[in-house]
């Protein structure tokens, strides 16, 4: 499936839950790494938390996620969502540029950058958590066959 903004992939509610769970796992790993002073690992895991959270948000609200290799493709999709879509897009927009820096750049990540990454990832994970929970509540309340 494609659109003018890039490739889209279908996401079931179960997959959205799985993305949210992965986001939580990456976020906790990022927190632990920051506590241990492993700033590149903290930043890289925060980025992965944010990407998975974005997939959970999009999947639970729209049934699709950005499927290209450029994670920036999810930003306009998030921006188009009502309520906290713009906050999610802003957080992802701050995280994505840190991916290559944390994973491939020989220069170490600063503590401030790692803390910024964790704050942005936390925003995304919290939105994903509430979005998936709301969708699960809606699904469980729907009459059979609906």
């Amino acid at each position: 499936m494609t659109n003018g903004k890039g490739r889209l992939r279908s996401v079931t509610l179960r997959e959205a839950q799985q993305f949210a769970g992965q986001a939580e796992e990456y976020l906790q790993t990022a927190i632990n790494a920051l506590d241990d002073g492993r700033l590149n690992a903290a930043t890289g895991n925060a980025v992965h938390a944010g990407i998975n959270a974005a997939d959970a948000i999009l999947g639970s609200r729209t049934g699709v996620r950005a499927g290209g290799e450029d994670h920036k493709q999810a930003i306009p999709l998030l921006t188009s969502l009502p309520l906290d879509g713009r906050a999610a897009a802003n957080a992802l927009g701050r995280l994505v540029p840190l991916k290559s820096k944390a994973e491939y750049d020989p220069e170490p990540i600063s503590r401030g950058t790692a803390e910024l990454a964790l704050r942005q990832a936390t925003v995304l994970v919290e939105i994903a958590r509430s979005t998936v929970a709301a969708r699960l509540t809606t699904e469980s309340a729907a009459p059979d066959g609906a």
Side-chain angles (χ1 to χ4, degrees), residues 53-120:
D55 288 345
I57 295 163
L58 289 167
S60 63
R61 289 195 184 168
T62 67
V64 297
R65 66 178 178 91
E69 290 186 30
D70 183 357
H71 298 293
K72 289 186 275 188
Q73 292 174 345
I75 294 170
L77 298 172
L78 290 167
T79 301
S80 71
L81 297 176
L83 305 172
D84 45 19
R86 186 166 299 280
N90 289 338
L92 188 63
R94 290 183 181 109
L95 276 175
V96 169
L98 299 177
K99 184 177 187 308
S100 291
K101 183 174 173 99
E103 294 178 357
Y104 308 114
D105 194 324
E107 290 296 316
I109 295 286
S110 71
R111 183 160 196 89
T113 297
E115 289 170 349
L116 168 72
L118 257 68
R119 284 193 304 274
Q120 301 311 311

Side-chain angles (χ1 to χ4, degrees), residues 33-57:
L34 182 66
D35 289 346
D36 292 343
R38 295 177 289 122
L39 304 178
N40 283 64
T43 303
N45 279 291
V47 170
H48 289 291
I51 292 167
N52 276 277
D55 288 345
I57 295 163

Side-chain angles (χ1 to χ4, degrees), residues 13 133-144 146:
L13 181 54
R135 177 72 192 280
L136 288 169
T137 300
T138 301
E139 290 291 316
S140 66
D144 288 343

